[in-house]
Amino acid sequence: MTWLTNLPAWARWAGAAALGMLLLTIVQSVSGTELLTEEGTAQAMVRWSIPILLAGLGGLYSERAGIVNIGLEGMMILGTWFGAWGALNWGPWGGLLAGLVGGALGGLLHAIATVSFGVDQIISGVAINILAPGLTRYLSERVFSGEAGGSVSQSPRVDGFDSFTVPGLADGLGTIRDQDIFWISDMAGFARGLVAEMSFFTLFGLLMVPLSGWLLWKTKVGLRLRICGENPIAGESLGVNIYGHKYLGVIISGALSGLAGAFIVLELAGLYRGGQTTGRGFIGLAALVFGNWRAIGVLAGSLLFSYPFGLSLVDFNAESSGEATRAVLLVIAIALVGVAVWAFRANKRNDVILAGLIAAIALIWYLSTDTAASWLPNTMPYALVLIVLFFASQRLRGPRTAGLPYRKGET
Amino acid sequence: MAPAIELIGITKRFPGVIANDNINLTVEEGEVHAICGENGAGKSTLMKILYGMQPADEGVMKVFGEEVTFGSPNDAIDRGIGMVHQHLMLADQMSVIENVILGSEPTKGGGIIDFDAAKAHLAEVGSAYGLTVDPDDMIDTLEIGERQRVEIIKVLYRGAKVLILDEPTAVLVPQEVEELFNNLRELKADGATIIFIDHKLQEVLEISDSITVIRRGKTIATVKASDVTAGDLAELMVGEELPSPATGDSTVTTDVALEVNGLTVLDDDERAVVDDVSLKVHRGEILGIAGIEGNGQSELINAIVGTWSANSGNVRMAGKDITTASVRDRREAGLGYVPQDRHREGLLLDAPLWENAALGHQTGAPYSKGFWIDRASSRDHTGTIRSEFDVRSPNVDVSARALSGGNQQKLIIGREMTAHPDVLIAAHPTRGIDVGAQADVWNQIRAARAEGLATLLISADLDELIGLSDTIVVMYHGKLVATLDPSEIDPRTLGSYMTGAALSDASATDPGPSELSGDPS
């Protein structure tokens, strides 16, 4: 199996995605739904994954700099309000920029508290999560409530970005999809969903993945930022400005969370509304852990966690009422049987029992119903996060000193 | 030619102590210069000053003849001085090359690291000094000796001509020490100047050209390694002082109160820090353990007290096996403990004295009644400790922080003694306290000894060890290497045992197998 670990990260994730598609295709053929690998599902998944992705990348910068940022959610909330406000005044690009700045201000607050004053990182993060909704409500009352369609908890409607379809590629994938070849056509159709009618903001979010990976692992500032999370004392002994790089990491973290908020406003909701982030900042943190504190891993985690939600958007409507979501239960059952077999071979008894148990529950559930309950898709991402982290977290390794206070000159 | 490093009259004061007192040091270019001294003698402070980590209060530093002042390590690096820290400064989850270039990364412009150029330079430095590492290895896959090599390369990569190595052999096994020495010889042959801090005399004599001995913050002497023996160095390091705290007549009985058999404790790297140690302490006996700090004494007492678990061997109290017993069970069975760091382990500094007195005895009278803490009785009993052990404080409700070090220590001694333990583990009981309090502590230990207390005494104060102990064992590299009679030994000889110097001497002249056995009984 060493050839597997020698593959580059993107190739391993691509392989995993192809296997996942195979699983979906097989389940689809036995449970009489076509939505699992639908183009629309893929499109919805990508769109809904961007806020999680941006928050997760935000967490990446912060934790790599040694600061746990549980305040991603609060910074995202700041991003939603500022995004709406910016978009009302200057259009979509204004919204994007204002959201970025709003989140970055939240990051700056977290950095001042944790880096300069040594406040416990969890406490500061929770404080920001509590502060942000209050602040945005106050600002809404001052700014939005006078305007048409605006109120203390809501902004007037705002315009989003134009969307575009990648020419050539989308047509090519469409042709393969229409050939109706098992697995291959399903993959092509699904992939077409990723490149068709994509918004500029979505593209912008996806581009953050290679950009972040490059910045953190190939540049001077990235290396210095990462030493803050691994061994700041070693960095200090070589003259690295630890405080400065920690500030940088946390502020970028806030800026990306703010972008996530702006995305929700501009692309998903079309307006600012109190409470619209619905815990995506925390799912972003989960994606960060799932992705082993790597940019591409965060992307994989975000897509995985937003799949059930994207599916539900096409699955709960006039023609369909949850057959496809029900089929996901079978996917989970099969995947967990796979985990159980792997755990059995690795001699991990507890994991075998746990995976087997959840697989059994999912299978029984699948067999005893015809359609999924409508609350299931909303719950599934969270349940999925828990299940994945149960089994994955043992072999994950985050930055060594993330969460620990650091004072210059103390060894 | 100007010397590589010249320090003139360096003085550094910390609150209450003078760490460096008018130190003079001259290191010639191209030599290996060792700096020797006991722990706390001021070696590390001096090196921190030379590396720009701390400013000196007084004195002049010259590097290759030029007078310098360093505000940060960067200034020292710019002058060609590099330091290999005792605790390696490496990020375990990064690659060798990332660790090496950090802080002075070659770039292609735009802040993009030029890894090819970095690797080329690394290979160049490596081959110039005969040090090889794979730049893409992750640090956590490397052996400790290889990691140290990365540290040395890290320093050379920055163009250092003077290398400071702070106790580099402390973490190495003998083969790795040999390899390190070969590397150092090669560095020297290529023109590097090396300052080598150590207190292991055999190693110092083997590797260095010149040796400067520091004692209590002062430079005692600078000698040529070829002109001295380990015994001479030991004398210089330890100095000659008169023992004072004599215990008087022996009260040693034949009842074994504490027995340790074949105890082995492994550290995180699976190395034996306590290596097959066996000892017996009888009722009425004080057994002293001598040794330079870091030779396994802390781990030994932790294993006896129960805060660390032993990997093999057993500990018995009055014949009963307590090897796997919890700390509380051990204490309730009559084990008293005076920890070596009273602030970290001995006291809750912000809690009142009576709560501190109850610590470790909180499960029974006089501090508690059933489930509840008995405040009245606790205060009352603490008042008794206060008067009997002369703990000077206004009342028993002030916080422990308000007390001087000596009074804090007397409170701890009182807390342990009033519980009437059968066995007392006393680690550095008089460290950092004034002379008066010191005499009080000695008196208390002596009085308890007369009543049949078995005491295991660990101390860096050789006079204290020789004066109080009925028997002294020497701990070196985790092993008990010698058993000595305190009435026949002076601090100088004891010091040479502790540094390992006398071991080879003794085995050559006067081996006496009984004297080298690990069992003092």
Side-chain angles (χ1 to χ4, degrees):
Chain A
M1 294 294 267
T2 48
W3 63 271
L4 239 179
T5 49
N6 284 337
L7 282 176
W10 64 266
R12 270 181 284 157
W13 285 114
L19 280 179
M21 287 302 299
L22 179 62
L23 179 58
L24 289 179
T25 316
I26 293 168
V27 168
Q28 192 160 254
S29 62
V30 300
S31 57
T33 172
E34 303 220 309
L35 295 174
L36 288 184
T37 61
E38 255 277 328
E39 191 176 318
T41 306
Q43 224 165 31
M45 172 184 78
V46 172
R47 252 158 50 87
W48 288 86
S49 77
I50 297 297
I52 299 174
L53 172 69
L54 288 170
L57 289 175
L60 178 69
Y61 281 93
S62 183
E63 298 216 353
R64 281 289 173 188
I67 304 285
V68 170
N69 189 355
I70 208 154
L72 291 171
E73 180 80 9
M75 296 170 199
M76 198 190 277
I77 292 172
L78 292 175
T80 57
W81 190 90
F82 279 93
W85 175 72
L88 279 176
N89 288 312
W90 303 289
W93 283 103
L96 186 150
L97 277 177
L100 184 148
V101 171
L105 287 174
L108 177 66
L109 181 65
H110 191 49
I112 291 172
T114 57
V115 180
S116 295
F117 290 98
V119 174
D120 183 278
Q121 297 170 13
I122 302 297
I123 291 179
S124 169
V126 170
I128 287 171
N129 288 342
I130 295 170
L131 180 73
L135 181 71
T136 52
R137 195 177 164 83
Y138 168 76
L139 289 172
S140 298
E141 191 181 347
R142 297 296 299 261
V143 177
F144 293 150
S145 57
E147 299 190 29
S151 75
V152 66
S153 61
Q154 188 168 310
S155 75
R157 290 206 72 80
V158 298
D159 293 330
F161 284 90
D162 296 334
S163 58
F164 66 98
T165 298
V166 181
L169 190 54
D171 297 339
L173 287 169
T175 316
I176 302 175
R177 177 195 55 188
D178 298 336
Q179 299 295 311
D180 233 1
I181 312 165
F182 178 78
W183 188 29
I184 303 293
S185 289
D186 288 292
M187 278 204 284
F190 198 79
R192 187 173 188 280
L194 305 180
V195 294
E197 283 174 56
M198 180 193 265
S199 122
F200 281 108
F201 204 159
T202 303
L203 179 66
F204 183 82
L206 291 175
L207 284 177
M208 286 295 153
V209 176
L211 181 71
S212 298
W214 173 81
L215 188 78
L216 284 171
W217 275 273
K218 297 292 176 202
T219 69
K220 194 158 108 174
V221 68
L223 178 64
R224 291 177 177 201
L225 193 148
R226 283 187 297 124
I227 197 70
C228 301
E230 296 292 343
N231 189 346
I233 297 163
E236 184 190 334
S237 78
L238 297 172
V240 174
N241 179 355
I242 300 293
Y243 285 173
H245 285 87
K246 277 181 182 268
Y247 260 88
L248 182 70
V250 181
I251 290 172
I252 294 178
S253 174
L256 287 169
S257 305
L259 278 178
F263 186 91
I264 295 173
V265 167
L266 296 171
E267 302 295 308
L268 301 182
L271 50 71
Y272 158 82
R273 194 188 304 119
Q276 74 193 131
T277 55
T278 60
R280 287 189 184 88
F282 297 108
I283 300 195
L285 273 182
L288 174 67
V289 177
F290 172 80
N292 202 10
W293 290 267
R294 295 269 172 172
I296 188 142
V298 175
L299 174 66
S302 317
L303 291 174
L304 179 68
F305 294 152
S306 49
Y307 178 78
F309 203 81
L311 180 65
S312 75
L313 290 180
V314 293
D315 189 29
F316 287 87
N317 54 34
E319 299 108 65
S320 173
S321 56
E323 286 91 356
T325 304
R326 167 180 170 258
V328 173
L329 290 169
L330 183 59
V331 175
I332 292 174
I334 294 173
L336 282 171
V337 168
V339 170
V341 170
W342 168 79
F344 181 76
R345 288 178 50 177
N347 224 348
K348 292 180 179 162
R349 226 184 82 226
N350 292 342
D351 283 18
V352 176
I353 295 170
L354 190 65
L357 198 67
I358 306 175
I361 292 171
L363 187 65
I364 291 167
W365 197 345
Y366 171 78
L367 293 174
S368 61
T369 53
D370 290 329
T371 61
S374 62
W375 53 264
L376 189 61
N378 287 323
T379 320
M380 220 182 244
Y382 302 90
L384 212 54
V385 168
L386 275 179
I387 293 174
V388 166
L389 295 187
F390 264 141
F391 299 108
S393 60
Q394 297 160 2
R395 41 181 210 87
L396 300 175
R397 290 201 313 181
R400 177 110 350 139
T401 63
L404 301 179
Y406 165 79
R407 298 266 93 194
K408 189 167 187 265
E410 278 178 18
T411 51
Chain B
M1 190 176 62
I5 301 285
E6 204 177 353
L7 304 181
I8 305 153
I10 296 287
T11 298
K12 175 75 185 176
R13 295 181 197 87
F14 292 112
V17 271
I18 301 181
N20 287 166
D21 186 1
N22 192 23
I23 285 200
N24 296 303
L25 174 68
T26 304
V27 179
E28 299 297 339
E29 192 172 347
E31 72 169 349
V32 178
H33 194 115
I35 301 194
C36 271
E38 277 261 82
N39 274 16
K43 308 174 300 246
S44 291
T45 306
L46 184 66
M47 288 308 113
K48 281 179 181 167
I49 291 170
L50 179 55
Y51 189 56
M53 291 166 83
Q54 284 172 350
D57 295 329
E58 287 165 28
V60 175
M61 291 199 281
K62 288 182 184 172
V63 178
F64 295 108
E66 266 180 78
E67 196 173 325
V68 292
T69 46
F70 294 151
S72 78
N74 284 355
D75 297 339
I77 292 168
D78 288 345
R79 291 280 177 170
I81 297 174
M83 179 141 168
V84 176
H85 300 267
Q86 185 181 1
H87 302 285
L88 299 182
M89 296 278 189
L90 296 170
D92 292 353
Q93 299 184 31
M94 287 191 184
S95 66
V96 168
I97 189 76
E98 284 177 324
N99 270 285
V100 168
I101 62 176
L102 181 71
S104 41
E105 307 88 348
T107 56
K108 298 186 230 178
I112 304 164
I113 297 174
D114 190 344
F115 279 105
D116 292 335
K119 284 176 188 172
H121 186 50
L122 179 73
E124 213 174 279
V125 171
S127 64
Y129 292 103
L131 299 164
T132 49
V133 281
D134 183 337
D136 293 318
D137 277 345
M138 298 298 273
I139 296 296
D140 59 5
T141 64
L142 300 180
E143 297 287 320
I144 192 98
E146 295 174 296
R147 292 185 198 191
Q148 195 168 52
R149 210 178 310 146
V150 175
E151 278 279 30
I152 294 174
I153 290 177
K154 200 164 102 179
V155 168
L156 296 172
Y157 183 92
R158 288 165 169 71
K161 295 189 279 294
V162 180
L163 277 77
I164 305 169
L165 289 94
D166 188 4
E167 298 198 19
T169 60
V171 291
L172 301 181
V173 296
Q175 302 89 298
E176 289 174 330
V177 170
E178 210 32 64
E179 207 177 321
L180 171 72
F181 282 3
N182 288 335
N183 288 335
L184 294 184
R185 287 189 192 102
E186 197 145 349
L187 287 175
K188 183 181 135 186
D190 290 320
T193 307
I194 295 163
I195 300 178
F196 184 85
I197 303 175
D198 205 348
H199 49 227
K200 295 176 191 158
L201 302 183
Q202 297 299 342
E203 290 175 4
V204 165
L205 287 172
E206 184 185 341
I207 189 68
S208 46
D209 303 308
S210 313
I211 302 165
T212 295
V213 177
I214 295 181
R215 183 184 349 135
R216 298 200 176 156
K218 294 190 170 82
T219 28
I220 300 301
T222 297
V223 294
K224 290 272 165 225
S226 49
D227 298 345
V228 290
T229 64
D232 297 336
L233 276 184
E235 185 177 343
L236 288 171
M237 266 171 74
V238 178
E240 279 185 286
E241 287 136 27
L242 295 171
S244 52
T247 34
D249 295 339
S250 171
T251 56
V252 181
T253 65
T254 52
D255 297 351
V256 177
L258 175 73
E259 190 178 352
V260 174
N261 291 312
L263 193 75
T264 298
V265 178
L266 305 181
D267 66 5
D268 295 340
D269 297 325
E270 304 278 305
R271 298 211 171 121
V273 277
V274 175
D275 195 353
D276 194 20
V277 165
S278 299
L279 54 82
K280 280 180 187 154
V281 192
H282 302 87
R283 281 171 52 77
E285 181 182 65
I286 298 177
L287 177 68
I289 297 185
I292 307 267
E293 258 166 83
N295 275 284
Q297 302 95 312
S298 308
E299 290 81 0
L300 174 64
I301 52 179
N302 276 315
I304 295 174
V305 173
T307 47
W308 281 13
S309 52
N311 293 77
S312 63
N314 62 58
V315 181
R316 289 168 177 277
M317 265 177 70
K320 192 168 152 253
D321 192 335
I322 57 160
T323 316
T324 55
S326 70
V327 178
R328 186 194 287 176
D329 287 346
R330 293 180 203 217
R331 290 187 70 97
E332 285 175 354
L335 181 72
Y337 178 40
V338 178
Q340 56 183 336
D341 185 337
R342 58 179 166 269
H343 288 178
R344 277 183 53 208
E345 294 178 84
L347 295 168
L348 299 176
L349 287 174
D350 293 311
L353 298 192
W354 70 266
E355 283 186 11
N356 273 293
L359 283 180
H361 308 289
Q362 70 279 14
T363 49
Y367 299 105
S368 65
K369 256 189 206 158
F371 181 75
W372 306 101
I373 295 282
D374 186 343
R375 288 174 167 244
S377 161
S378 297
R379 281 213 180 79
D380 200 42
H381 186 72
T382 311
T384 314
I385 294 178
R386 205 176 128 233
S387 51
E388 270 182 31
F389 290 81
D390 191 28
V391 180
R392 293 185 196 157
S393 66
N395 54 53
V396 296
D397 293 314
V398 296
S399 68
R401 194 183 291 281
L403 269 52
S404 74
N407 285 312
Q408 288 174 345
Q409 193 69 8
K410 283 190 277 186
L411 178 70
I412 293 175
I413 301 269
R415 170 175 85 195
E416 299 304 318
M417 292 301 194
T418 52
H420 300 292
D422 300 321
V423 175
L424 177 73
I425 313 291
H428 306 286
T430 63
R431 173 181 279 177
I433 65 179
D434 60 83
V435 184
Q438 195 175 33
D440 287 347
V441 170
W442 284 338
N443 286 334
Q444 295 295 347
I445 293 177
R446 238 178 260 138
R449 165 180 174 266
E451 286 169 21
L453 177 71
T455 305
L456 189 62
L457 173 71
I458 291 96
S459 181
D461 181 339
L462 302 190
D463 299 333
E464 175 174 285
L465 268 182
I466 292 172
L468 279 181
S469 306
D470 296 298
T471 312
I472 293 179
V473 292
V474 179
M475 201 159 179
Y476 184 66
H477 287 279
K479 288 184 161 62
L480 296 188
V481 290
T483 303
L484 307 167
D485 182 346
S487 61
E488 295 171 1
I489 196 162
D490 56 61
R492 191 199 137 183
T493 324
L494 182 54
S496 63
Y497 273 100
M498 287 161 59
T499 51
L503 297 175
S504 47
D505 292 0
S507 55
T509 54
D510 162 34
S514 63
E515 219 178 317
L516 285 170
S517 90
D519 188 350
S521 59

